[in-house]
Amino acid sequence: MHNDRLSLDEIARRVDAKAPAFCASSDRIWAMPELAFEEHGSVAEQIAMMEAEGFRITRNVGGMATAFVAEWGSGGPVVGILGEYDALPDLSQESGAVGHAPLKAGAPGHGCGHNLLGSGSALAAVALKDALEAEGIAGTVRYYGCPAEESGSGKTFMARAGLFDDLDAAFCWHPSVVNEVQSTSSLACIQAYFRFRGRAAHAAAAPHVGRSALDAVELMNIGVNYMREHMPSDARVHYAVTDTGGSAPNVVQAFAESLYLVRSPHLPDAERLFERVKRIAEGAALMTETTVSVQITDATSNVLPNKVLQEAMYENMRRLGPPAFDAADYAFAEKLRKAAITEEDVLASVKPHDLSLRTKILHDGVLPLPAREEVSMGTTDVGDVSWIVPTVQCHTACFAIGTPFHTWQLVAQGNLPAAHKGMVLAAKAMASTAADCLRNPELIARAKAELRERTGGRAYVCPIPDSVTPDDLHRRAA
Amino acid sequence: MHNDRLSLDEIARRVDAKAPAFCASSDRIWAMPELAFEEHGSVAEQIAMMEAEGFRITRNVGGMATAFVAEWGSGGPVVGILGEYDALPDLSQESGAVGHAPLKAGAPGHGCGHNLLGSGSALAAVALKDALEAEGIAGTVRYYGCPAEESGSGKTFMARAGLFDDLDAAFCWHPSVVNEVQSTSSLACIQAYFRFRGRAAHAAAAPHVGRSALDAVELMNIGVNYMREHMPSDARVHYAVTDTGGSAPNVVQAFAESLYLVRSPHLPDAERLFERVKRIAEGAALMTETTVSVQITDATSNVLPNKVLQEAMYENMRRLGPPAFDAADYAFAEKLRKAAITEEDVLASVKPHDLSLRTKILHDGVLPLPAREEVSMGTTDVGDVSWIVPTVQCHTACFAIGTPFHTWQLVAQGNLPAAHKGMVLAAKAMASTAADCLRNPELIARAKAELRERTGGRAYVCPIPDSVTPDDLHRRAA
Amino acid sequence: MHNDRLSLDEIARRVDAKAPAFCASSDRIWAMPELAFEEHGSVAEQIAMMEAEGFRITRNVGGMATAFVAEWGSGGPVVGILGEYDALPDLSQESGAVGHAPLKAGAPGHGCGHNLLGSGSALAAVALKDALEAEGIAGTVRYYGCPAEESGSGKTFMARAGLFDDLDAAFCWHPSVVNEVQSTSSLACIQAYFRFRGRAAHAAAAPHVGRSALDAVELMNIGVNYMREHMPSDARVHYAVTDTGGSAPNVVQAFAESLYLVRSPHLPDAERLFERVKRIAEGAALMTETTVSVQITDATSNVLPNKVLQEAMYENMRRLGPPAFDAADYAFAEKLRKAAITEEDVLASVKPHDLSLRTKILHDGVLPLPAREEVSMGTTDVGDVSWIVPTVQCHTACFAIGTPFHTWQLVAQGNLPAAHKGMVLAAKAMASTAADCLRNPELIARAKAELRERTGGRAYVCPIPDSVTPDDLHRRAA
Amino acid sequence: MHNDRLSLDEIARRVDAKAPAFCASSDRIWAMPELAFEEHGSVAEQIAMMEAEGFRITRNVGGMATAFVAEWGSGGPVVGILGEYDALPDLSQESGAVGHAPLKAGAPGHGCGHNLLGSGSALAAVALKDALEAEGIAGTVRYYGCPAEESGSGKTFMARAGLFDDLDAAFCWHPSVVNEVQSTSSLACIQAYFRFRGRAAHAAAAPHVGRSALDAVELMNIGVNYMREHMPSDARVHYAVTDTGGSAPNVVQAFAESLYLVRSPHLPDAERLFERVKRIAEGAALMTETTVSVQITDATSNVLPNKVLQEAMYENMRRLGPPAFDAADYAFAEKLRKAAITEEDVLASVKPHDLSLRTKILHDGVLPLPAREEVSMGTTDVGDVSWIVPTVQCHTACFAIGTPFHTWQLVAQGNLPAAHKGMVLAAKAMASTAADCLRNPELIARAKAELRERTGGRAYVCPIPDSVTPDDLHRRAA
């Protein structure tokens, strides 16, 4: 039967064949950590790898110099595999050290494992291509080089540019401490500045002619705190006050600014809640006889889980089994745990997955899909992709259980053999599930039907207004 | 010279001639205390007195059954003397008792001396009429029977009805513990209900569908408290919360109401401030997704002092001198002070006038006009008359120094000889100053010029909206 | 085998034998609806029934004249069955009428079906006694007559008095529109008055000497609204403002009061949250230079579900099957639904159970136990019993689907044949599960182990302070 | 009579004799503008002048390197004349230019005329010394070199060090646009940081474990805004928010800080109000479970006017008459007014003095003492001196009417002939009034009696806590 030509074993073999090259590529990216929107070297590395494999490259997509698409094949279903490669500030760390040992003080480091993320996804795309090519099967394979996940919502801008519109399924992963198909959704978020303008005056001599923008910021905050009683329990609204109008108490503050972050498990709910927050801002302006302007600066959609694809991917992971960690992998993980991982870290690390893992050092199983869909209280720009095309993600064990993210402890493990093994497993899980889609159109049809049901037929609308460009976010982050 | 025909001595003689009858009338009103808008017996008593003196009576003026105008004469300048006759709840008290001794438990009493106020003003009008009649001098004398000063703004409704429009000067007095021409202005005030309507919901099970009107009331209050820093120091804004939407915490409150009182030394400023308060209410409604309606329920203009008339009246009072209290008057005042007046009462009583009076029992002088115009932090419906016609008021010593107003201590003195003496002095001061106006048109001209300057040319606009009737206030007070 | 002597069939037969008498008793209580703490007639009725059956009566327990315990037997496990009998105000209604038809305007009515509740539980106790007696089995059966569930937390006071301390298992039910074992927990709640005392002053003339208690109430509310961001999502804090210090804006309010209701799925969390609310109140007092006093007026523990007993009871209900409603039952239910039940009522009625029931008129099945434990956003004084002894409850279909609770529509059905059938089913479910406990000590042991795990070993502490008596709550409710 | 030996004419002659030298000294200070606490060159210049005149110098007084005392004589009454010499940032300007023409961009300039202030006061001290010396009269004359008036409260630190304790009278002046004895008092002020510390947490994932310091800052502000209704109308409380705890909305803010400024016409009232503000801060900490620390960073006492000395000084100024401005003075003033002074500047300039001056270019009269004592809504460290010793100040016309303070327009006039003339007049007014005190002990006695009455017998307590040093203020200002 034709389906056998893209069997799990076949895909796994092809992944293994190219794994050494892509692990080496991952290590090179680990060694040149670059911040969001500035991943020029990492992108050059990735493009070189994909060009060598015969992929067609489109650079500078979505208005970002470090976003690209690598494509192979034509016709047939179109599957996309998403990669990332941005690092985090101030996390430089020597590989394999179990104490804090920056390679270069103050320099960035791959504290979220995105060197693995990009290379593992590229490996999956290449292995899938190899299989299609060898078997002469029609189909289109894309690798999306997605910048600025940590700060900047690269995929959201790519989604706005329509780059995912013709995909039939999308695949992604994230390096982790466990092996599992990700089943949780995430929060949609909208972030905006509220800027109030009033009238300055001498606060003691002529307070009645002043109109305080700082008062407006405070009254808006009060209004929002009153709203909390009357909003859904699973939504979140937070703020920072980013400009208080100066440090002189004896001047009525003529300008003040706050930054609001509105989140909800469902984008339309986040939008409705954001409208309420805007009305509160207008109320605060009315109360203080000031004016207010609102500027949305960032937004991402919630992740829409896809049970159909999750089950397909889980079946593959179950059959693949966990990475084959060896004694050296365990020895290092144990050493690190003793030296630099607390019991609290361990608890926090396993809590979202399975508390019984707390006695383990490295994950030696594959977690089952949970009966109930949970919402993770975070946000990711994968959410926007998931509103356009059925999307599935997995986690694989690349790091010792208990490793906190965004720390030097994680950086120290980012190019070790254990991390490579986790990355290879992820590539297999993604490529094999993509292969399932290619050989089984009905799977795509069911996944798309589920997506339609989850969106309620609402077409994707990018939550970042057209007036906001990646450059705006880059500038602000800088 | 013709002016001599209305000399101070002449007027004083004519007042003395009719004083016994009007003191008796005052005592009858003292004996039938009636609340605001319900002064039917007192009005009948007053009308009988004025009809007997040949005045023409117009009843039911300004939309109030207990408001009337008594007029004598024709042509010439038109002078008006204002009287009141409403009592206060729960102040029934035996005359001349120095302990609390209600004649009828829970019944009203003349705790502000309005029995004297109405009768003294009527006496002044009659004495002036007698003088004009005897001398054959042209002129029109009016006595205004003004109800509901304590609660209801009778004069404001009379002003709205245009009853003071053709007056050339107005005169008024108030029983007091001192003899003086009143020089202070008062606060203009606007009082209004703010009613918020939201949506009820079970506060635990479905709080996010509720919209809390109580939240709106609280946010409005917060907004106003923030405004305080940015409003003039001499303005005042206060509130009561008159409906909290129920006593069940587990129901989102669908209705709530507050009552605001906005005051300022100048009516246009009070109006501007009231507009700001309304904007804050609208802001609170926006913040809570509720609706708000505003209902003005009472308002009075500030008193515009008239220096020209004050100086004329002071000259008369200075020449008339204080009431001639005798040993019996002093004996009773001393007994009352010992029994029922505290040192704090005394201090509070003399503070607005002259602290050096604190050692006196009854006032035996006439206070000079102060160099500087002060604002008294109260409100009176005389304010509305004063925006239409030059108006002057005096105080005369009717009560022991230290007697607090709105107490049984004051009621107990309201028909004693000392009170009569003070009332007769006030009648002389008003009638003689009115006589000055009649014989000296230039005095009226100068007083009117001062009024024009103080209003800045702004025509009188009644601060109570046409939609609010005296019946509304009467009903609410009941 | 000895266990067979208390088989489900045997118990069911004994319930059926006494059912007519207890249905008649339920109808008599329906006909004399009495409010919380005033159920003297209903208690007399119940005591008469139980005495006739040979139960020993202890009156006036827990400090309440309408609380009693009826006990039979000795030794062996001690099982308790809980009954209620209080009615609701203003719900008088003719039986079997499909329009609002009060028997006596303004009089109470059994709008929550507690006539059935008490009689059904008594029936269960009696049937169980009959079986034990007939078979000569050792064991103690208690019926608890629990007053004031609707308003007053009768069981909480009984728990405080230690009346449930020696029980091995407790059983309860509630008339409903469906047949199911109750699996949800409920919220623990603490309700308290916060009373602030400041200093009155004239708001315009001397505002700076006033200290506003109303300000304190508002600031406490603000503080609590700020706390919302920092409290668990599933907790609830609500308030009503129960005294605003008067309706006069020109007086600084010297007294003000609010009523707070703090709820959480777990009593210790509710207690911690209540401590935070108290600190906020103290903060508000500090801010305003007022004083605050706190008075807890009511509190109940959350229901601790007991899976062990739920599964035992579900097995019995599954085998018993739904009540055998006949054509007449359906005909009336249909008539009522057409006349006086809206589609929204139906939706609200089935939502907590199973939305697919919305097309049914009467429930003709038994709902399975759900996979996941939910928290119902309500409170009940059964919670306190459930912290002391393993407790299980069932619902049986006594009313047409869609009947809203606390309405005349429910009162109208309270003594009809369908209601009797539901009550009899409940008696069978409770008695048979209690019998399971008596014949199977291991069941009790497992149920107790589960309870220990759920309390974390914390001994029951009554959330109502000792200083608050049932009389306090009775007086306040009156 | 011996008094004649210190007559006004005599003093004036002696001032004129030394005027050229001190005008030159003033010009040198004008040419080396130095900021608060950094007036090393200016102090060297002043000390050189005073040493040359035979004064004994004490350096580094009050803990400040640029504070000094110059003393002459011994015994007799001790009179002190206060001088200042600090400049303002970024006001460098060419002398005599009527357009903005910085001598050095960004450099300081004498925008408040303190070059004149210090030199004029020194001139007065020297002239008085000359007179005493010539006539052989006993007495002690001190010149106080007071740094950091603009920012740092130099005199307050000198007062704390006891440097004014043995003075019998103090004299001061300020360059101005009018000639008058200053009659107004000023506001006492206390400035403090309120620092709140809470606990950080992820705002979406674990908000309930966070304790927000930003919430505490906001709640404190709310509490203060509620207090406004209940504080005296003439007090002032303002704040700036100086640290909001970061710009990331998704982190609960663990630190936040505000800067409060509390002012009142009377220091004890300011202290009481400050205590209330502190209690509000504690309330906010309680409400949010954060901690708060308070750090007073600056404070000055209100100016206690001294009518006795004011009248003495006014008599001298009246006799001295205004400066004799010539055509060139007028020509320049007119040119400047046309080029760089708006009508609003003129209005603002004359408003505190006499609106009728608005048509004048230079002041050609001496304003009378007003009948009523006003409070100016500013603060000055002369206030602290005035609580210790009877103190009087004058203003003299050194600048064109309409010149705003703290502008290049003022700097441009600071060494012109008109400014010199005003400075000389001030020296005469101070020296002659000090001479009055020396020859007339009864004047000192009456002035001291007035001071005692105004303080109510309260000894001077420095409002800056001992823990705050001038270095603290210097560092913060830098």
Side-chain angles (χ1 to χ4, degrees), chain C residues 203 207-212 215 218-220 222-223 226-227 229-232 252 276 279-280 282-284 286-287 289, chain D residues 203 207-212 215 218-220 222-223 226-227 229-232 252 276 279-280 282-284 286-287 289:
Chain C
H208 56 286
V209 305
R211 291 297 179 266
S212 170
D215 280 7
E218 293 184 23
L219 285 165
M220 177 184 175
I222 296 166
Y226 267 76
M227 185 188 68
E229 186 176 3
H230 306 295
M231 70 184 211
V252 175
R276 290 175 70 186
R279 266 194 290 278
I280 291 172
E282 287 157 22
L286 254 183
M287 283 183 170
E289 302 192 292
Chain D
H208 57 287
V209 306
R211 292 295 179 268
S212 170
D215 281 7
E218 293 183 23
L219 285 164
M220 178 183 174
I222 295 167
Y226 267 76
M227 185 187 69
E229 186 175 2
H230 306 295
M231 69 185 210
V252 175
R276 290 176 69 185
R279 267 193 290 277
I280 290 171
E282 287 157 21
L286 254 183
M287 283 183 170
E289 302 191 292

Side-chain angles (χ1 to χ4, degrees), chain D residues 62 97 114 163 171 190 196 207 209 214 218 239 242-243 245 345 347 395 424 435 463 470:
Chain D
H114 291 185
L163 296 171
F171 303 86
I190 304 173
F196 293 89
V209 306
L214 181 58
E218 293 183 23
Y239 58 83
T242 44
D243 192 327
D345 290 338
L347 209 64
H395 295 153
V424 171

Side-chain angles (χ1 to χ4, degrees), chain C residues 327-341:
Chain C
D329 297 331
Y330 273 95
F332 176 74
E334 214 147 335
K335 200 168 112 192
L336 180 71
R337 177 131 159 196
K338 273 192 191 128
I341 293 177

Side-chain angles (χ1 to χ4, degrees), chain A residues 207 218 226 229 276 279 289, chain B residues 207 218 226 229 279 289:
Chain A
E218 294 184 21
Y226 267 76
E229 186 175 3
R276 289 175 71 185
R279 266 194 290 279
E289 302 191 295
Chain B
E218 293 183 23
Y226 267 76
E229 186 175 2
R279 266 194 291 279
E289 302 191 293

Side-chain angles (χ1 to χ4, degrees), chain D residues 23-97:
Chain D
C23 288
S25 178
S26 168
D27 292 355
R28 287 191 293 273
I29 293 173
W30 182 93
M32 57 168 149
E34 296 168 311
L35 296 178
F37 292 118
E38 300 174 357
E39 314 93 331
H40 302 285
S42 306
V43 164
E45 166 68 34
Q46 286 228 310
I47 286 178
M49 293 295 289
M50 299 310 278
E51 279 187 321
E53 292 288 346
F55 278 72
R56 302 179 295 274
I57 307 296
T58 313
R59 289 178 171 79
N60 293 314
V61 297
M64 293 171 288
T66 55
F68 71 97
V69 180
E71 187 181 72
W72 180 91
S74 63
V78 186
V79 297
I81 303 179
L82 316 176
E84 303 166 7
Y85 28 68
D86 55 331
L88 287 157
D90 206 20
L91 283 178
S92 176
Q93 168 72 11
E94 192 182 325
S95 167

